Amino acid sequence: MIHISIIVPIYNVEHYIEQCLISVAQQSMTEGVECILVNDCGRDNSITIAENFIQGYSGNVKFKIIHHEKNKGLSAARNTGIRAAQGKYVFFLDSDDFLLPNCLYSLFSAATENNAELVQGGYSSDSEYLKNLSTIQHPSFTDDRKYIMKTLLNYDVNPVMAQNRLVEKRLIVNNGIWFKEGIIHEDTYWTFFLAKHVSRMAFCLKETYFYRVTPGSITQKRNREKEEKAFFTLINDFTDNIDNFEKGAQKRFVFLNLLVMKQNGFFNSSKGFWNLVRKFLKKCSLLEAFLVVISLYSKDFVHVNVVNLLQKIFILK
């Protein structure tokens, strides 16, 4: 019986893939674990290294490789892995990262003890953002859907990333929570829709995953055209899907992404950006709409204070 399906997209990671796979093979929990490698047609020796590793491996983890016919991107690779997964839970592992030795045991124990649909692991990383988040205390388990929604949609208290989460495959498939293909910032997109369906969530208070800040990775390289497309897609689809359950948390999430667009100039034209803003304003009260506009126009001291005020209004709703 497969308990956990680890999904590892592989694309141009020849310097890191072996360490990644070794970390899976050396887990304290290997029974009932499969590791699905999705070859997304990179241009280096990543797959050759992975194939050689698997050929020399003789442990309990069931490794297998699925080959894409052409490069499809991270979202498509993860979706391929989900469809092939046989485990009750799926776990997303980036091929330039690695697992800490008790990762799977710790997460699976938390899942089974609490009958959790989602378990969030702790991070070890050189990232200052993740270091700061590691100091925030969460309950070991909660079935408070309001708390879950607010936590998953708050960059300041929880990482908005797909990695290092144990998620029931049933939850993903039954609710159509697939990764949006053809865009970057796919984790942000996926998390917004995941947050709408999780009713039982556990937090592993131990570090389980090493997140590597890799020079040249998707998150480190900025492509203006791809950024524009991603943020337009995110905000447009998020706005269309704001519902009445914890509406404030959803609106805050959209608002913060609008701020990123404005601050970084990720929009094709002023007209296009403000059409997106107007769409969002229709979901806001008059006071919220007024403060959103002020936030997007103002700068410095006024901007910071209005933004903070508006976030508090959203959070308290």
Side-chain angles (χ1 to χ4, degrees):
M1 179 179 180
I2 302 297
H3 300 301
I4 300 174
S5 298
I6 304 172
I7 298 170
V8 187
I10 299 180
Y11 180 79
N12 292 348
V13 285
E14 62 183 8
H15 299 299
Y16 310 108
I17 185 59
E18 186 172 21
Q19 183 181 25
C20 175
L21 299 181
I22 289 173
S23 77
V24 174
Q26 294 182 346
Q27 283 295 293
S28 58
M29 173 184 173
T30 56
E31 290 282 357
V33 175
E34 68 174 355
C35 186
I36 302 169
L37 314 181
V38 183
N39 174 17
D40 201 32
C41 304
R43 298 179 299 276
D44 66 2
N45 294 318
S46 298
I47 287 300
T48 300
I49 294 170
E51 289 172 339
N52 290 338
F53 176 85
I54 293 172
Q55 287 174 7
Y57 175 74
S58 58
N60 295 322
V61 178
K62 295 176 171 58
F63 285 95
K64 62 181 176 182
I65 300 178
I66 300 175
H67 298 276
H68 280 174
E69 294 181 358
K70 62 179 181 179
N71 175 252
K72 296 182 179 181
L74 179 59
S75 290
R78 284 177 174 166
N79 289 339
T80 294
I82 294 169
R83 293 187 182 98
Q86 298 180 45
K88 178 179 180 180
Y89 293 94
V90 297
F91 180 94
F92 301 106
L93 169 59
D94 280 2
S95 47
D96 54 353
D97 298 335
F98 60 86
L99 306 182
L100 300 185
N102 289 321
C103 174
L104 299 184
Y105 175 80
S106 298
L107 297 183
F108 187 66
S109 296
T112 54
E113 288 170 8
N114 299 288
N115 190 27
E117 298 168 317
L118 171 66
V119 184
Q120 173 70 61
Y123 284 88
S124 173
S125 178
D126 294 329
S127 163
E128 289 300 321
Y129 167 65
L130 292 177
K131 286 180 180 178
N132 291 334
L133 290 187
S134 68
T135 64
I136 296 174
Q137 296 298 309
H138 294 287
S140 59
F141 171 76
T142 180
D143 57 5
D144 181 343
R145 288 194 62 221
K146 291 184 176 182
Y147 180 87
I148 292 170
M149 170 77 82
K150 288 179 178 179
T151 299
L152 288 175
L153 296 186
N154 190 341
Y155 296 96
D156 298 328
V157 299
N158 198 62
V160 185
M161 294 191 287
Q163 312 97 301
N164 200 24
R165 288 174 173 173
L166 204 61
V167 191
E168 276 196 339
K169 179 180 176 180
R170 170 200 59 80
L171 184 75
I172 296 172
V173 174
N174 289 355
N175 294 291
I177 314 171
W178 302 97
F179 287 88
K180 183 77 170 181
E181 298 186 14
I183 64 168
I184 57 175
H185 301 304
E186 63 287 315
D187 287 10
T188 302
Y189 191 99
W190 185 75
T191 296
F192 179 84
F193 291 98
L194 176 71
K196 292 178 174 292
H197 299 286
V198 179
S199 58
R200 298 178 62 82
M201 182 175 180
F203 295 86
C204 180
L205 306 181
K206 305 173 183 176
E207 293 181 348
T208 55
Y209 187 104
F210 183 85
Y211 177 85
R212 192 190 308 272
V213 180
T214 308
S217 69
I218 292 174
T219 53
Q220 296 298 307
K221 294 170 67 176
R222 177 161 287 177
N223 180 301
R224 188 178 186 83
E225 183 178 349
K226 289 182 179 180
E227 292 276 354
E228 289 177 5
K229 178 181 178 182
F231 278 102
F232 264 94
T233 302
L234 264 62
I235 293 170
N236 184 68
D237 289 5
F238 291 170
T239 303
D240 283 340
N241 287 279
I242 292 174
D243 56 34
N244 289 325
F245 182 77
E246 285 303 313
K247 184 183 289 186
Q250 297 173 69
K251 289 193 289 188
R252 178 180 182 272
F253 199 65
V254 177
F255 169 65
L256 292 178
N257 279 280
L258 277 171
L259 281 182
V260 173
M261 283 190 73
K262 180 64 177 177
Q263 290 166 356
N264 292 283
F266 295 142
F267 49 88
N268 291 311
S269 67
S270 295
K271 180 180 179 181
F273 175 70
W274 287 105
N275 283 340
L276 204 59
V277 173
R278 280 193 288 272
K279 183 175 186 177
F280 174 61
L281 293 181
K282 293 178 181 178
K283 301 286 185 174
C284 298
S285 68
L286 287 176
L287 174 61
E288 291 168 347
F290 172 74
L291 292 175
V292 168
V293 173
I294 295 297
S295 300
L296 295 173
Y297 266 117
S298 61
K299 296 180 181 180
D300 303 326
F301 178 79
V302 172
H303 170 79
V304 171
N305 283 277
V306 173
V307 167
N308 289 338
L309 173 61
L310 185 53
Q311 289 192 71
K312 290 178 181 177
I313 291 172
F314 284 147
I315 290 172
L316 292 173
K317 292 195 69 173

